[in-house]
Each structure stands twice: as structure tokens, then as C-alpha cells.
Amino acid sequence: MHKWIALSSNSAYSLGMPAKTPAPVVLTGRHVRLEPLTLDHVPDLFTAGGGDEEVWRWLGRPVPRTEQELRAIAADLLAASDDYVPLAVIDLRTGRAVGWTTYMDWSARDERLEIGWTWYGRSVWRSAVNTESKLLLLTHAFEELGMGRVQWKTDHLNLRSQNAIARLGAQPEGTLRRHRLRPDGSWRSSVYFSMLSDEWPAAKSRLAERLARG
């Protein structure tokens, strides 16, 4: 299934439609294309972020030091298709994969999902890549899937991620203490954020304006 999503602020959608379960999809913007992750993306992904301590610091998996180690992580993610819809992030300037992101923890009945297990190579940090990726994901979640709630969670020490999520227009909801075991054996607390469907139109306009400003 291929979806081209117009990023104008006036696209029509119904907040009352029944929610749908997320499935592999292609979402294309001006800067990035999100497409179903495959093992064929691994060489580009390793070039983008393999062996980079800072990229993997908060991701809950040991830093992949070889392409084979990253391939194993990607294979594990792809094998968990009942729990994740993983999408490779393609930089349209180069045509190369520079990270991945997923839909996860969804319930169509409860009209909710989470965007998570996301990373980008350091070369595209502070670029349009994250902003447009989230705009595409949120547009699809609210306007195509009919979700009423999208959530994020991140390590309580990962202030860069918390600030990036807040800039999307998501609202902080609190912290689950001692929530997950890190690869080094320490415990992380998880900070939760969410956005609701009635908050989305204003957030969409702000994100589109940010992209237009470059």
C-alpha cells in the first residue's frame, strides 16, 4: 500500500471514523520517505548509525558494532510483526536509509497507538528529517487510521528526546519509575507524552510551518 500524504494544513479528514490497525505503508513527503523496513536497508543503516554510542545511548539495545549485529537487531524487530510496524526513514536527498521508526502498542478498539523505537543517524539530527517523519506518521495515524490518541515514551535522562517530543506539540503525562532495564544493568524511568485527535489540527499547522521555514 502506497500513501502520498499532502502536508497542507487544510486536508480534510474525519475524526469520527472507526480506527484501523496500523499496517506496512509508504508515506512520502518533500524531505523523507517512510517505507517498510527490510534487511536490504541494513547496509545504509549501519553507515548512518552503526557503532555510534550517542545514537544508541537510549535505545535499550547494545550498540551494534558490526553490520551483522545491526542486521540481527533489525531481524528481531521484523520478527515481532504482531507488535511493531517498522518503517525505514529514507532521506530523499540521497535515497539512503538514515534510521527507522515504528508504530507500536496499538489498540484499534481504544483508538490509540505509540510512535517509538525510533533512531536517526547523527548526520540528519537537527534537520527536517525528524519533523517531517513525525508529520507523516501523525497525519497517517490521525487522518487515515482514525486514532484518537498517539503516545511516546522516553528515558527520563534523555532530555534531547523529551524536548523533541514536546516541540511536536505533545503533552507530558508523567513518569513511570524504574520502568525498564537498560543494557548496562541500570534502571530507567519512562517519561510519557501524548497527543489527542482534537489537538492534532493545531499541532499539524505548527509542524507544517516549521518545515516551511526550513
Side-chain angles (χ1 to χ4, degrees), residues 62-213:
V63 180
R65 303 293 180 185
T66 66
E67 190 174 305
Q68 289 71 28
E69 290 178 357
L70 181 57
R71 182 177 296 272
I73 295 172
D76 286 347
L77 178 57
L78 291 168
S81 58
D82 289 342
D83 300 312
Y84 297 92
V85 175
L87 301 170
V89 180
I90 309 299
D91 186 343
L92 292 180
R93 297 173 303 171
T94 64
R96 295 181 177 276
V98 293
W100 73 49
T101 189
T102 80
Y103 288 130
M104 54 188 284
D105 193 18
W106 60 77
S107 169
R109 178 183 182 277
D110 297 318
E111 299 181 352
R112 61 172 174 80
L113 58 70
E114 180 173 334
I115 295 172
W117 211 157
T118 299
W119 68 269
Y120 307 103
R122 216 189 299 206
S123 66
V124 297
W125 289 5
R126 292 177 290 278
S127 74
V129 167
N130 182 55
T131 301
E132 188 168 65
S133 294
K134 292 303 190 294
L135 182 53
L136 290 167
L137 289 166
L138 288 165
T139 300
H140 186 63
F142 286 123
E143 302 182 19
E144 299 292 330
L145 299 179
M147 294 296 169
R149 167 189 167 88
V150 174
Q151 74 175 30
W152 297 259
K153 63 178 179 289
T154 189
D155 195 298
H156 71 290
L157 297 179
N158 190 353
L159 299 182
R160 184 175 63 83
S161 177
Q162 292 174 47
N163 290 334
I165 295 168
R167 285 197 302 272
L168 299 173
Q171 301 301 308
E173 293 190 319
T175 302
L176 294 187
R177 298 180 300 162
R178 200 179 184 273
H179 183 220
R180 293 176 63 177
L181 187 65
R182 298 190 186 98
D184 66 2
S186 63
W187 287 93
R188 96 172 206 182
S189 298
S190 294
V191 181
Y192 275 75
F193 292 81
S194 73
M195 184 183 295
L196 305 183
S197 55
D198 60 357
E199 298 165 343
W200 167 234
K204 181 179 182 179
S205 294
R206 288 193 298 269
L207 290 172
E209 289 169 5
R210 188 191 306 170
L211 277 174
R213 292 195 305 268

